[in-house]
C-alpha cells in the first residue's frame, strides 16, 4: 500500500532549495501559495518528485516570475554578495542546506533554525543571470 505520509515527509523535508527559490522570486509568501508553486514546478518536471531536487532552477524561477528574465544559473564557490538577497548553500559533514542570506545574515531559512547553518560553513551560492 502506498504511504503518502512518508512521500510527503521526503518531499517537504528535502525541499529547502525550492522553498528558497519561491521565497526569493515569488510575490506571495503565504505558505499555501508557496506550496502551490512548488507543486506546479513538480507538475512541469522542473522539480523531481518525491526527492524535491530542483532539476530546472532557471525554468522554475522564470515560471515564478511569469517571464523569461533568466537564462542560466551558476553555482559559485566564494563568499556570497553582501548587499543582495542570495540563495546560499551551507554544508555540515554530508548534510547540505539552502537558505537566503543578505548582509551576512540568514533572512529566510525553511527549517527555521537549521543545524546545518548553525554548525556548518558556506559551500556555495547561486548566481542567476
Amino acid at each position: 500500500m502506498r504511504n503518502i505520509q512518508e512521500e510527503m515527509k521526503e518531499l517537504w523535508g528535502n525541499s529547502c532549495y525550492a522553498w528558497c527559490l519561491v521565497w526569493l522570486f515569488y510575490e506571495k509568501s503565504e505558505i499555501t501559495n508557496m506550496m502551490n508553486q512548488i507543486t506546479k514546478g513538480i507538475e512541469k518536471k522542473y522539480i523531481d518528485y518525491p526527492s524535491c531536487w530542483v532539476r530546472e532552477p532557471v525554468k522554475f524561477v522564470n515560471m515564478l516570475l511569469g517571464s523569461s528574465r533568466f537564462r542560466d544559473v551558476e553555482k559559485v564557490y566564494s563568499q556570497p554578495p553582501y548587499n543582495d538577497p542570495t540563495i546560499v548553500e551551507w554544508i555540515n559533514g554530508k548534510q547540505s542546506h539552502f537558505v537566503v542570506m543578505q548582509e551576512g545574515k540568514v533572512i529566510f531559512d525553511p527549517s527555521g533554525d537549521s543545524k546545518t547553518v548553525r554548525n556548518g560553513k558556506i559551500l556555495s551560492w547561486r548566481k542567476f543571470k
Side-chain angles (χ1 to χ4, degrees):
M1 185 178 297
R2 184 177 183 187
N3 188 334
I4 296 170
Q5 289 178 308
E6 279 301 312
E7 287 180 40
M8 292 301 102
K9 191 175 182 180
E10 181 177 353
L11 173 70
W12 299 117
N14 296 324
S15 59
C16 57
Y17 186 39
W19 282 107
C20 288
L21 290 168
V22 174
W23 189 87
L24 189 59
F25 293 107
Y26 189 64
E27 61 197 43
K28 298 176 184 172
S29 62
E30 182 182 298
I31 193 166
T32 54
N33 289 324
M34 294 172 77
M35 288 171 63
N36 286 336
Q37 295 308 307
I38 293 172
T39 301
K40 284 181 187 176
I42 291 168
E43 290 169 353
K44 291 181 176 280
K45 308 284 188 221
Y46 302 155
I47 300 172
D48 286 349
Y49 177 85
S51 70
C52 211
W53 181 65
V54 182
R55 174 180 299 282
E56 299 281 355
V58 173
K59 289 180 180 178
F60 183 55
V61 167
N62 285 336
M63 180 200 84
L64 295 169
L65 295 170
S67 69
S68 296
R69 179 174 165 193
F70 295 108
R71 292 176 304 199
D72 197 15
V73 61
E74 180 182 353
K75 186 175 186 177
V76 182
Y77 294 96
S78 67
Q79 286 297 309
Y82 189 76
N83 293 324
D84 299 324
T86 305
I87 296 175
V88 179
E89 181 181 14
W90 286 73
I91 192 162
N92 183 19
K94 292 183 180 181
Q95 295 292 322
S96 174
H97 182 62
F98 288 92
V99 297
V100 180
M101 294 183 68
Q102 184 174 16
E103 297 178 359
K105 297 176 185 164
V106 175
I107 59 172
F108 176 74
D109 183 344
S111 291
D113 181 20
S114 166
K115 291 178 190 174
T116 303
V117 173
R118 209 175 333 120
N119 302 320
K121 62 182 180 180
I122 292 174
L123 175 67
S124 64
W125 60 278
R126 300 303 184 269
K127 180 178 184 178
F128 285 83
K129 43 192 175 175

